[in-house]
Amino acid sequence: DGGITQSPKYLFRKEGQNVTLSCEQNLNHDAMYWYRQDPGQGLRLIYYSQIVNDFQKGDIAEGYSVSREKKESFPLTVTSAQKNPTAFYLCASSIDYYEPGQTTYEQYFGPGTRLTVT
Amino acid sequence: GENVEQHPSTLSVQEGDSAVIKCTYSDSASNYFPWYKQELGKRPQLIIDIRSNVGEKKDQRIAVTLNKTAKHFSLHITETQPEDSAVYFCAASKRSKSTFGDGTTLTVKP
């Protein structure tokens, strides 16, 4: 299960506080992702980054921010503007190999951080 | 953007029976279709994938089929075992961005 790590496993915050979730990978992957997982709703993309110093909004970026200063790290900040932040957050990375007949965008997931905001 | 629908949301089978999960997608440019298995409290892990230039792929008890014209793909698990019980996610991917289905909770009864 090594290669991509997230910390902490559980995080508790008071409403109105910003909180930063850590994601680190040593797989030498270019692309990294943040997903939010709510019961019965699958994985929803928050932000993704295909290269250092560049990132794009996903489907539910409002209230979140990211940075990609190093290839290995892609921290996610949940701001006080996020209306419903309590959720399970998954970070992932992928190698993004594109070759006709051999394309793969397989994503390797971290163990997740369960954030509870009260 | 891409939209992926996955059915059924829950599936219960007897041990030894087959299970089929179906997904449809909307973006014809998607070219990579992975399936992930997530056991309770664990991270999703890839179990099988298929590329847009292939119609079917099999790996032991697991197979995936793709119909590009109809924009749907399916996961087939044969001879199910209790350890197959988990949540299964399909995804449609294009240029490293993946859109996931909402998941299917499979329960295999001994």
Side-chain angles (χ1 to χ4, degrees):
Chain A
D1 283 348
I4 181 163
T5 58
Q6 291 182 244
S7 61
K9 189 172 182 179
Y10 298 96
L11 191 54
F12 298 88
R13 281 292 183 272
K14 294 289 187 186
E15 198 173 309
Q17 294 178 335
N18 291 356
V19 59
T20 297
L21 281 58
S22 166
C23 178
E24 303 278 332
Q25 55 100 359
N26 62 3
L27 300 168
N28 200 33
H29 288 170
D30 288 316
M32 296 187 73
Y33 311 81
W34 274 106
Y35 294 94
R36 172 179 171 140
Q37 187 173 28
D38 294 288
Q41 292 194 44
L43 301 168
R44 292 186 290 167
L45 183 64
I46 304 172
Y47 268 98
Y48 65 107
S49 168
Q50 293 174 296
I51 197 167
V52 174
N53 291 323
D54 188 45
F55 49 82
Q56 285 80 41
K57 292 182 179 179
D59 301 318
I60 56 165
E62 186 175 349
Y64 300 97
S65 65
V66 294
S67 62
R68 188 84 186 279
E69 297 176 3
K70 298 186 300 181
K71 188 175 186 178
E72 303 79 19
S73 180
F74 191 41
L76 173 74
T77 297
V78 185
T79 75
S80 56
Q82 168 50 232
K83 291 187 180 4
N84 191 15
T86 294
F88 186 55
Y89 291 88
L90 281 163
C91 178
S93 68
S94 69
I95 196 167
D96 290 354
Y97 182 76
Y98 180 76
E99 183 74 25
Q102 298 180 41
T103 296
T104 180
Y105 307 129
E106 177 185 353
Q107 300 200 4
Y108 294 77
F109 288 87
T113 292
R114 191 166 296 278
L115 173 65
T116 302
V117 177
T118 57
Chain B
E2 175 67 276
N3 182 49
V4 176
E5 294 191 357
Q6 183 173 347
H7 299 281
S9 57
T10 60
L11 180 58
S12 181
V13 300
Q14 287 296 135
E15 183 177 359
D17 287 350
S18 294
V20 180
I21 303 170
K22 299 182 179 182
C23 289
T24 61
Y25 63 100
S26 60
D27 189 345
S28 57
S30 290
N31 60 355
Y32 176 69
F33 305 90
W35 287 87
Y36 293 86
K37 176 183 179 182
Q38 186 178 27
E39 297 177 5
L40 192 62
K42 296 193 175 180
R43 69 189 84 188
Q45 291 193 300
L46 182 78
I47 55 170
I48 195 167
D49 56 15
I50 191 166
R51 295 164 184 83
S52 57
N53 62 335
V54 175
E56 185 172 357
K57 182 178 178 180
K58 189 174 181 181
D59 183 3
Q60 299 183 333
R61 296 187 296 108
I62 295 173
V64 59
T65 58
L66 171 65
N67 183 327
K68 280 195 303 181
T69 303
K71 296 197 192 72
H72 67 70
F73 55 113
S74 301
L75 177 71
H76 304 251
I77 305 174
T78 59
E79 300 171 23
T80 54
Q81 301 166 2
E83 50 265 39
D84 293 330
S85 295
V87 180
Y88 292 82
F89 293 99
C90 65
S93 308
K94 176 181 72 172
R95 294 180 189 169
S96 81
K97 185 182 175 189
S98 294
T99 301
F100 288 81
D102 285 345
T104 296
T105 301
L106 174 64
T107 302
V108 180
K109 299 177 182 176

